[in-house]
Amino acid sequence: MISDVAYDLFTVFNALRLVCYLQQIYKIARDTTGAPAISYPTWILWTAANSSTAIDALTHPGDITLAWIHGLNALCCTIVIALTAFKQRQYHAQIGQIPPGYPNAFDYASACQRHGTT
């Protein structure tokens, strides 16, 4: 009985967590200031924690539901990291504050320089 309630609570709260990830992804996608409030170390830690739990669930107890839930959580964390990096790069290119030697995918001259074309 207690284990069933615990499993149901785990499922409900992790489903809600996925909804929150989607909300975060949406907010980053709409951000125009480079998503400065996103902490890479935090999101990388959450990605690693979710990934390791998914792997453990597949290899140790063999709980497919746990593996899928944490796998999806890790995927959402990875999307947050990648989208934040893209938005920060886009923002810095837009305001013209790209650090020296930092390739700028939004600038034709920079792309030509990277590929050795003129």
Side-chain angles (χ1 to χ4, degrees):
M1 177 68 179
I2 291 176
S3 65
D4 292 335
V5 171
Y7 186 81
D8 291 343
L9 288 173
F10 170 81
T11 304
V12 167
F13 286 121
N14 275 279
L16 290 173
R17 185 163 58 159
L18 284 171
V19 171
C20 290
Y21 286 143
L22 295 177
Q23 179 187 23
Q24 185 71 61
I25 290 166
Y26 176 77
K27 286 186 179 266
I28 295 168
R30 296 194 37 97
D31 186 274
T32 59
T33 62
I38 302 301
S39 167
Y40 284 113
T42 299
W43 284 94
I44 290 169
L45 179 62
W46 289 342
T47 302
N50 283 312
S51 299
S52 63
T53 302
I55 292 167
D56 181 61
L58 283 174
T59 60
H60 187 60
D63 188 342
I64 291 296
T65 303
L66 183 68
W68 267 104
I69 288 171
H70 283 283
L72 288 173
N73 286 334
L75 175 64
C76 287
C77 290
T78 302
I79 291 169
V80 166
I81 294 166
L83 187 56
T84 299
F86 173 77
K87 295 301 275 193
Q88 287 180 352
R89 186 179 172 113
Q90 183 181 40
Y91 174 72
H92 289 292
Q94 178 184 359
I95 63 172
Q97 293 182 348
I98 304 274
Y102 190 77
N104 181 359
F106 304 102
D107 179 27
Y108 178 74
S110 179
C112 289
Q113 185 180 25
R114 281 194 314 274
H115 298 291
T117 60
T118 55

